[in-house]
């Protein structure tokens, strides 16, 4: 594998590629570093990727695994769930509505458990198995719980998922069905996270987003690789991405950077726009204040999947937004509901509240005139609408009628014949 | 005021191998100061040069992040629990 070590993002102390996530010197987060061979024949390297499996393992050379399940051309449950290779759809009707030129929707709801979390969990769990773990676990705002439970089921690993007790019912049901241990903690996500951080020090489990976090985070790079490949080996000009902890946001940018450095993709690094809910916007607030200290907040928003009040990668997300000429915006719960409707009505894609945050932020940027008509924009839709049904309840009318021709005619008099 | 301080695995080597210690102090800052006096190596791990908590260190008083309270000036009561944890989140 091309990964050579873990390294502290703050003080650069190197560590072995083990299940560790924090620098013993300065408490900074650890990150995977690679030593990629130079790519001399770009066309050949691209063909190699294109010839790979129809899932994230086609990018195995860029992931921190010794033995990626890549050789399995046919999906087998024993190699986990096949994440990735989700559609990138040109959204002309939405673009027209917003007055934009070239707009694409990366629909990552089209993953095995219907969110981008299958990417990060695939990588974390594959690495956990290489390191010999038999139990996987996570602290989740919902989608991660779905994914960890499903991966555990596919691979025959025992799993424990920790969620805030007030999570959407759809997300709880879509987790428990896999036969995991669902632990509903009477607290918000930050309390769940604190408990799991403590537990990870005492139990020999692979917490995908705690002690396996450096590997987990790498999985999000595959979204950038896929978009680059789907755009014909070019970078987009701008990305709009939801932010909870800030990991997804920063790793999408990293994925484009890695491939630009290797010459696999052409174009500049995209302008990066982060999207948060006003009811939980520590990163947007730090950006607006011109600071890189994200003061923790107590979340209060319908976008529960993004409700992390104390985002560990917040400072890096703020820094990236600034460096790339982008920003981090926040949208209200009403704007989120409207965003879900807007995306559904113009693209046929029904997203959860996190996608409502992304769409509403895109609309806000467009209305503000921040996006040029010549820009190629990608909005990352990371989750599925069926998991947050309350967000659309009572937003339309149903026509209830008797089963008769006359009843229909009476209801729809004046409709197109 | 005797307070129990929970020490994460990453810091235990610097704290003589202990997972928790009983420390005296009237505020969060005093308790941490007393802990550093006992284990000198802990000071630079947890605090920056100005004595403030490092960026990726979280400290909880009876389960509440001290940044929601009065930070290092937060008063502690007898028998309280102070927990030091690395910042990590996302899910
Ligand atoms: C649907 C969805 N989108 C985006 C995110 C944000 O992820 P991150 O914590 O990497 O910022 C999450 C995280 O829980 C999520 O569930
Ligand atoms: Zn460090």
């Amino acid at each position: 594998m091309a990964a050579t070590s873990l390294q502290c993002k703050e003080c650069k102390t190197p560590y072995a590629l083990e299940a560790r996530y924090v620098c013993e010197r300065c408490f900074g987060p650890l990150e995977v570093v690679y030593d990629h061979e130079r790519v001399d024949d770009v066309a050949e390297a691209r063909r190699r990727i294109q010839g790979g499996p129809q899932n994230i393992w086609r990018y195995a050379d860029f992931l921190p695994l010794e033995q990626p399940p890549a050789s399995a051309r046919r999906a087998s449950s024993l190699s986990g769930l096949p994440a990735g290779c989700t559609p990138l759809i040109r959204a002309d009707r939405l673009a027209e509505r917003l007055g934009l030129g070239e707009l694409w929707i990366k629909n990552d709801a089209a993953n095995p458990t219907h969110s981008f979390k299958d990417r990060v969990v695939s990588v974390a769990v594959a690495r956990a198995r290489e390191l010999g773990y038999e139990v996987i676990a996570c602290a989740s705002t919902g989608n991660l719980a779905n994914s960890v439970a499903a991966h555990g089921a596919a691979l025959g690993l025992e799993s424990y998922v920790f969620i805030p007790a007030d999570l959407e019912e759809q997300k709880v049901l879509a987790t428990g069905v896999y036969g995991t241990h669902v632990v509903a903690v009477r607290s918000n996500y930050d309390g769940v996270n604190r408990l799991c951080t403590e537990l990870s020090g005492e139990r020999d489990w692979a917490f995908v987003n705690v002690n396996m976090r450096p590997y987990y985070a790498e999985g999000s790079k595959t979204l950038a690789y896929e978009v680059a490949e789907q755009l014909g080996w070019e970078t987009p000009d701008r990305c709009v991405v939801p932010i909870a902890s800030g990991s997804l946001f920063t790793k999408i940018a990293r994925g484009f950077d890695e491939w630009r450095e290797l010459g696999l993709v052409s174009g500049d690094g995209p302008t990066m726009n982060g999207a948060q809910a006003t009811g939980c916007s520590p990163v947007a607030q730090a950006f607006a204040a011109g600071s890189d200290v994200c003061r923790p907040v107590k979340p209060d928003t319908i976008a529960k999947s993004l409700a992390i009040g104390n985002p560990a990668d917040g400072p890096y997300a703020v820094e990236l937004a600034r460096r790339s000429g982008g920003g981090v915006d926040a949208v209200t719960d009403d704007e989120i509901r409207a965003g879900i409707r807007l995306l559904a009505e113009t693209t046929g894609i029904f997203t959860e509240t996190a996608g409502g945050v992304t769409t509403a932020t895109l609309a806000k940027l467009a209305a503000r005139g921040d996006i040029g008509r010549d820009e190629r924009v990608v909005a990352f839709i990371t989750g599925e609408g069926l998991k947050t049904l309350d967000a659309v309840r009572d937003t339309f009318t149903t026509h209830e009628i008797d089963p008769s021709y006359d009843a229909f005619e009476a209801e729809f008099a004046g409709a197109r014949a | 005021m005797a307070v129990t301080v929970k020490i994460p695995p990453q810091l235990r080597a610097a704290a003589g191998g202990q997972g928790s210690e009983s420390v005296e102090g009237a505020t969060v800052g005093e308790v941490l100061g007393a802990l550093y006096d006992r284990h000198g190596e802990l000071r630079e791990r947890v605090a920056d040069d100005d004595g403030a908590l490092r960026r990726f260190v979280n400290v909880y008083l009876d389960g509440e992040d001290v940044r929601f309270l009065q930070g290092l000036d937060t008063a502690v009561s007898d028998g309280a629990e102070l927990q030091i944890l690395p910042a990590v989140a996302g899910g």
Side-chain angles (χ1 to χ4, degrees):
Chain A
M1 73 177 152
T4 53
S5 64
L6 297 177
Q7 191 184 60
C8 173
K9 278 178 95 158
E10 296 289 303
C11 76
K12 309 296 173 202
T13 303
Y15 295 88
L17 288 161
E18 297 163 351
R20 52 165 78 224
Y21 64 102
V22 57
C23 177
E24 309 223 326
R25 287 236 181 111
C26 76
F27 261 44
L30 305 186
E31 188 170 54
V32 178
V33 290
Y34 297 84
D35 182 12
H36 286 296
E37 267 172 49
R38 242 185 55 206
V39 178
D40 291 320
D41 188 342
V42 168
E44 166 58 24
R46 289 174 177 171
R47 268 197 302 276
R48 220 176 98 86
I49 292 167
Q50 286 168 326
Q54 287 294 319
N55 55 53
I56 61 165
W57 303 127
R58 68 207 274 109
Y59 310 116
D61 290 349
F62 309 93
L63 297 171
L65 298 173
E66 278 151 34
Q67 291 254 296
S71 50
R73 276 308 184 84
R74 299 216 179 134
S76 146
S77 77
L78 291 177
S79 56
L81 295 169
C85 287
T86 58
L88 180 72
I89 293 151
R90 175 120 181 198
D92 286 333
R93 293 193 61 233
L94 178 54
E96 198 179 315
R97 188 82 81 87
L98 299 176
L100 297 177
E102 184 180 340
L103 174 62
W104 300 81
I105 299 296
K106 180 63 172 166
N107 183 12
D108 233 30
N111 267 305
T113 71
H114 318 288
S115 85
F116 89 99
K117 294 290 181 184
D118 289 324
R119 298 174 184 274
V120 289
V121 172
S122 293
V123 177
V125 171
R127 185 62 187 153
R129 292 220 297 176
E130 288 183 354
L131 294 173
Y133 284 96
E134 283 162 10
V135 179
I136 57 175
C138 68
S140 176
T141 57
N143 286 307
L144 189 59
N146 292 176
S147 186
V148 165
H151 274 81
L155 295 166
L157 295 172
E158 197 176 354
S159 64
Y160 286 80
V161 301
F162 297 78
I163 53 174
D166 71 346
L167 207 57
E168 296 98 342
E169 187 185 26
Q170 293 92 358
K171 282 187 181 147
V172 180
L173 294 176
T175 298
V177 69
Y178 296 114
T180 179
H181 303 280
V182 182
V183 188
V185 181
R186 286 187 287 274
S187 172
N188 59 22
Y189 174 80
D190 297 292
V192 177
N193 191 65
R194 180 173 61 78
L195 172 61
C196 286
T197 307
E198 182 174 359
L199 276 173
S200 78
E202 312 299 336
R203 304 241 163 191
D204 202 18
W205 295 352
F207 278 85
V208 298
N209 57 335
V210 183
N211 53 343
M212 300 304 292
R213 187 164 179 81
Y215 308 99
Y216 161 103
E218 292 297 285
S220 287
K221 293 188 313 188
T222 63
L223 263 165
Y225 300 152
E226 256 173 61
V227 166
E229 202 186 332
Q230 288 167 314
L231 290 175
W233 308 98
E234 284 179 16
T235 57
D237 298 311
R238 185 186 295 270
C239 296
V240 185
V241 182
I243 293 179
S245 70
S247 173
L248 169 71
F249 183 67
T250 51
K251 287 295 178 175
I252 286 177
R254 171 61 60 85
F256 287 121
D257 283 346
E258 273 182 6
W259 273 21
R260 286 172 58 237
E261 279 160 30
L262 290 169
L264 284 172
V265 61
S266 60
D268 296 331
T271 301
M272 298 295 296
N273 284 101
Q276 293 208 293
T278 307
C280 181
S281 51
V283 186
Q285 286 171 27
F287 181 84
S291 151
D292 64 352
V293 180
C294 296
R295 281 193 61 81
V297 303
K298 304 260 185 207
D300 179 14
T301 169
I302 59 167
K304 293 186 180 175
S305 54
L306 301 181
I308 295 182
N310 190 358
D313 288 310
Y316 302 117
V318 172
E319 199 256 322
L320 168 64
R322 225 172 262 143
R323 171 162 47 86
S324 69
V328 185
D329 279 274
V331 290
T332 64
D333 284 357
D334 281 343
E335 290 174 305
I336 295 168
R337 290 189 192 92
I340 293 174
R341 288 299 304 267
L342 176 63
L343 185 72
E345 290 173 7
T346 56
T347 67
I349 296 168
F350 179 24
T351 186
E352 68 147 88
T353 45
V357 170
T358 305
T359 308
T361 299
L362 173 72
K364 193 172 201 165
L365 294 169
R368 214 158 56 196
D370 285 7
I371 305 178
R373 276 211 61 109
D374 57 342
E375 282 189 48
R376 177 188 271 175
V377 181
V378 178
F380 290 78
I381 296 302
T382 48
E384 163 65 50
L386 293 172
K387 291 193 198 179
T388 59
L389 288 172
D390 280 341
V392 294
R393 205 180 297 286
D394 302 328
T395 62
F396 56 91
T397 41
T398 308
H399 302 270
E400 188 171 328
I401 59 167
D402 288 326
S404 83
Y405 182 85
D406 288 346
F408 178 80
E409 285 292 297
E411 183 78 14
F412 286 94
R416 200 185 317 193
Chain B
M1 231 68 77
V3 173
T4 304
V5 183
K6 285 179 116 175
I7 298 165
Q10 296 84 359
L11 289 179
R12 285 182 197 161
Q18 301 286 345
S20 74
E21 294 231 4
S22 179
V23 183
E24 295 279 331
T27 63
V28 171
E30 281 183 27
V31 170
L32 289 175
L35 186 71
Y36 304 152
D37 288 344
R38 215 179 276 176
H39 307 286
E41 218 185 304
L42 281 183
R43 186 189 305 271
E44 59 169 297
R45 302 283 187 87
V46 175
D48 64 19
D49 294 342
D50 305 329
L53 292 175
R54 279 179 176 275
R55 186 153 76 152
F56 293 97
V57 174
N58 290 341
V59 173
Y60 301 89
L61 179 63
D62 292 327
E64 181 73 301
D65 190 323
V66 297
R67 286 173 296 179
F68 286 118
L69 306 169
Q70 286 83 47
L72 294 179
D73 297 332
T74 308
V76 298
S77 48
D78 204 33
E81 184 182 278
L82 199 67
Q83 184 173 27
I84 305 172
L85 282 176
V88 52

